Amino acid sequence: MKPMDLPLRRSAGSRPVAVGRLRGGRAIATQDCVAEEVPVALEYNGVSHAVMLATPADLEDFGLGFSLTEDIVDRASDIRGIDVVAGPHGITVRIDVASACFVRLKERRRNLAGRSGCGLCGMESLPEAVRAPPVLRSAAAFPAQTLLDALHALRGGLQPLHEATGATHAAGFGDASGQLLLVREDVGRHNALDKLIGALVREGHDVARGFIVSSSRASYEMASKTARSGATLLAAVSGVTGLAIDLAQAAGLALVGFARGDAMSIYSHAERVLWDRSHG
């Protein structure tokens, strides 16, 4: 199946609103479609751990991906169940984890409320803020054109919520042939990536054999979550941060930024990006 043959997912997480538009000096009353953004509480074994502002779709994927990329659990089997419960003030994702994981979580309590910007708000110590992921051992490498094709496909119809609202990010998973196998969207770039990682694990994909593309910049936390998922390359349409480069270099992660059209910038582990070096 080619990337563009991937079935489009319904644009859950949006709603119509009345809007006044100015066009050519005239005011027009019409309707627009906006992305929903709601408080989503992540609760472990009955104890609230974090409250995120997120798009209310794919929340089971979100709960699983967040649990894995934040080291709350070591593997999917540590999660006994996930329930999504809507309430008058938001949504609660109730996650039942193994007792050993819950004990560890209580030992590293932190306040993550509203973490949609820097990604480190509420950390209790500097070592806790910058955690080194495990070193990636896979030798996977991908043709440069494959990465560009995947990002082109992502923008070419695989972001229905963004197409409807213009207000969301997307993260996609591509295999070695360049097919985009999964895409997830959210108002937050971190949330979109967590949803994607959760979906990949739930569906049993071999994450180490593919790469991740993102419609956003590649910050430290985006690089960290990608490395913790087992994927060996993160390609973003926007720029990268210095801390993301440092982490990617140490983890064995190829970090690619400004991947647009026929160009890209490779900031770490360029050996994972294959191109015809005879042309410079």
Side-chain angles (χ1 to χ4, degrees), residues 204-242:
H205 290 279
D206 186 353
V207 181
R209 297 175 66 86
F211 59 90
I212 289 176
V213 294
S214 172
S215 65
S216 72
R217 71 180 184 270
S219 62
Y220 160 81
E221 193 170 21
M222 295 292 285
S224 175
K225 288 178 180 292
T226 299
R228 290 176 191 282
S229 77
T232 55
L233 186 147
L234 171 63
V237 299
S238 296
V240 308
T241 67

Side-chain angles (χ1 to χ4, degrees), residues 39 62 91 93 103 130 132 138 155 159 172 183 190 198 221 236 259 263:
F62 179 46
I91 299 173
V93 181
V103 169
V130 184
S138 170
R155 296 190 298 269
Q159 300 181 65
V183 175
H190 305 137
E221 193 170 21

Side-chain angles (χ1 to χ4, degrees), residues 74 120 150 155:
D74 298 315
L120 299 177
R155 296 190 298 269

Side-chain angles (χ1 to χ4, degrees), residues 190-213:
H190 305 137
N191 300 341
L193 182 54
D194 276 333
K195 288 178 177 181
L196 175 68
I197 292 169
L200 289 169
V201 173
R202 283 163 59 88
E203 296 189 14
H205 290 279
D206 186 353
V207 181
R209 297 175 66 86
F211 59 90
I212 289 176
V213 294

Side-chain angles (χ1 to χ4, degrees), residues 153-184:
L154 186 68
R155 296 190 298 269
L158 299 183
Q159 300 181 65
L161 186 55
H162 179 76
E163 290 176 7
T165 68
T168 57
H169 287 294
F173 177 74
D175 67 9
S177 69
Q179 296 184 36
L180 277 181
L181 303 181
L182 278 175
V183 175
R184 290 292 184 268

